[in-house]
Amino acid sequence: SRVYNFSAGPAVLPEEVLQEAADEMLDYRGCGMSVMEMSHRSKVYDNIIKEAEKDLRELMNIPDNYKVLFLQGGASQFFAEVPMNLMKNKKAAYIITGQWAKKAFNEAKIYGEAVAVASSEDKTYSYIPDCSDLDIPEDADYVYICENNTIYGTEMRKDPDVKQRLVCDMSSDIFSRPIDISKYDIIYAGAQKNLAPAGVTLAIVRVDALGHVDRPIPTMLNYATHIKKDSMFNTPPVLPIYAALQTLKWYKEQGGIAAMEKKDMENAAILYVEIDRNKLFRGTAAAEDRSIMNVCFVLNDAYKELEDEFSNFAAAAG
Ligand code: PMP
């Protein structure tokens, strides 16, 4: 009875993860209670969060000078937290590849000078701007990118080389390809696309990138708070973290991130081949920048009136 769910987020989770969560819902491994009900300070829960961190480090090959955090607030909260925690010279460079990057850019303006060093806004973010020779201010505290542009179906598929610190919103492409963590200073991702239900935001933070700003930072929005307390400064989103652990284990069973990339590329190719072949449809992203995570397409203008019929057909076909 389960449908093929292509929603960008909240997105499909592995059936095994949902099944395991269902099986353990009333009684987590003999504790006589659900993960939803147990103390986050209990030994049992401590094992869950520690194991999630361990699996994540292993899967993504995270070096020791990076801290893994499980936070609340969603990816949107990071739009402000990043400049709050990193803008020392009060200047940062933004590559604006979509609405989410634009929102982050606007938040940064609250804390300093946000410089748009590249943008694809001129063509409704349907392509990735050329980033080969960017005019990045020498004193920029960081360069900000959003690698996969969920709404527009474009994706930067190469770890960028910049001299400055690099901050990346990986909300919709984390775990879709192996990455070199050492190129980034902060990676963050809302969980609800590739990891767990909404409620937890994953952050991978290079510890020495912090502690350089002199502005007061509210305790909960200061990454140092959460680093010091291993994501346990306050009550963490216990159930999404538990689900994240199950998904991370599933990724490992699938053969890890490289295996996921292969599968994602195969799946995306099936869709793109059909979109390009079928005269009813057209892809909305520049072919060379197409995402393997979000395959965006519309009906060609000549067939616009078939939209409802197509939606009904797709719903009936599950
Ligand atoms: N960044 C990207 C790339 C997204 O796709 C989204 C959500 N669709 C967000 C940020 C915002 O995430 P949240 O809802 O967790 O704040």
Side-chain angles (χ1 to χ4, degrees):
S1 64
R2 284 178 56 78
V3 299
Y4 291 95
N5 175 5
F6 292 102
S7 176
V12 66
L13 283 166
E15 211 168 309
E16 293 91 324
V17 169
L18 296 175
Q19 191 57 59
E20 184 150 1
D23 291 346
E24 294 182 336
M25 189 54 78
L26 288 179
D27 180 3
Y28 178 74
R29 302 187 188 179
C31 295
M33 63 177 119
S34 166
V35 174
M36 284 200 267
E37 306 166 298
M38 68 177 60
S39 165
H40 60 292
R41 308 272 175 212
S42 64
K43 185 79 202 132
V44 178
Y45 193 74
D46 195 52
N47 285 339
I48 292 175
I49 195 166
K50 290 236 168 74
E51 215 177 317
E53 170 164 359
K54 186 174 127 301
D55 285 349
L56 187 75
R57 285 188 170 279
E58 204 178 303
L59 265 175
M60 294 187 79
N61 212 358
I62 300 176
D64 288 345
N65 56 331
Y66 287 75
K67 182 71 191 166
V68 168
L69 298 174
F70 298 99
L71 303 175
Q72 302 194 47
S76 298
Q77 189 164 288
F78 271 70
F79 298 165
E81 279 180 325
V82 163
M84 235 183 241
N85 281 269
L86 291 192
M87 258 192 180
K88 172 174 167 276
N89 298 330
K90 302 193 173 62
K91 195 180 281 185
Y94 278 70
I95 297 175
I96 306 193
T97 48
Q99 185 183 297
W100 300 112
K102 183 76 181 280
K103 285 188 172 167
F105 172 68
N106 287 336
E107 290 291 285
K109 287 187 206 159
I110 300 172
Y111 300 95
E113 189 186 341
V115 185
V117 291
S119 169
S120 52
E121 195 171 2
D122 61 337
K123 290 189 183 159
T124 331
Y125 303 117
S126 58
Y127 68 103
I128 298 290
D130 178 14
C131 296
S132 56
D133 188 23
L134 296 176
D135 190 10
I136 299 171
E138 276 296 317
D139 57 346
D141 292 307
Y142 59 87
V143 176
Y144 182 99
I145 57 174
C146 177
E147 272 180 358
N148 188 71
N149 301 283
T150 324
I151 302 169
Y152 309 95
T154 62
E155 188 179 10
M156 287 180 183
R157 292 193 45 77
K158 180 181 164 294
D159 300 331
D161 290 310
V162 292
K163 273 192 301 184
Q164 291 78 2
R165 297 193 185 285
L166 185 63
V167 176
C168 183
D169 175 355
M170 283 191 199
S171 289
S172 55
D173 64 336
I174 195 159
F175 310 123
S176 69
R177 67 181 175 89
I179 54 163
D180 178 358
I181 301 274
S182 70
K183 291 200 167 176
Y184 304 83
D185 287 81
I186 295 184
I187 292 170
Y188 69 89
Q192 61 271 25
K193 294 148 199 330
N194 294 346
L195 186 61
V200 63
T201 313
L202 182 68
I204 302 165
V205 181
R206 195 185 152 112
V207 177
D208 66 11
L210 303 177
H212 306 295
V213 301
D214 46 25
R215 73 175 54 79
I217 305 176
T219 310
M220 274 296 285
L221 305 180
N222 190 336
Y223 296 136
T225 303
H226 301 288
I227 287 179
K228 216 184 300 167
K229 295 289 185 185
D230 290 323
S231 305
M232 287 277 207
F233 173 74
N234 68 331
T235 317
V238 288
L239 198 69
I241 294 172
Y242 157 81
L245 169 61
Q246 308 307 328
T247 309
L248 292 166
K249 294 217 173 300
W250 182 85
Y251 279 136
K252 281 169 73 178
E253 283 160 21
Q254 302 302 302
I257 308 293
M260 292 317 297
E261 180 181 35
K262 187 166 171 284
K263 201 165 155 189
D264 291 341
M265 289 180 82
E266 286 164 7
N267 286 342
I270 292 170
L271 291 167
Y272 286 127
V273 164
E274 181 60 15
I275 289 163
D276 290 342
R277 185 201 66 82
N278 193 319
K279 65 178 190 227
L280 289 179
F281 306 112
R282 111 184 122 75
T284 52
E288 63 278 15
D289 298 322
R290 282 172 165 177
S291 166
I292 61 164
M293 301 309 292
N294 302 91
V295 175
C296 295
F297 65 96
V298 291
L299 280 157
N300 260 323
D301 290 346
Y303 302 101
K304 273 265 174 269
E305 79 282 5
L306 295 180
E307 236 162 49
D308 284 348
E309 198 178 326
F310 175 65
S311 296
N312 293 338
F313 168 81

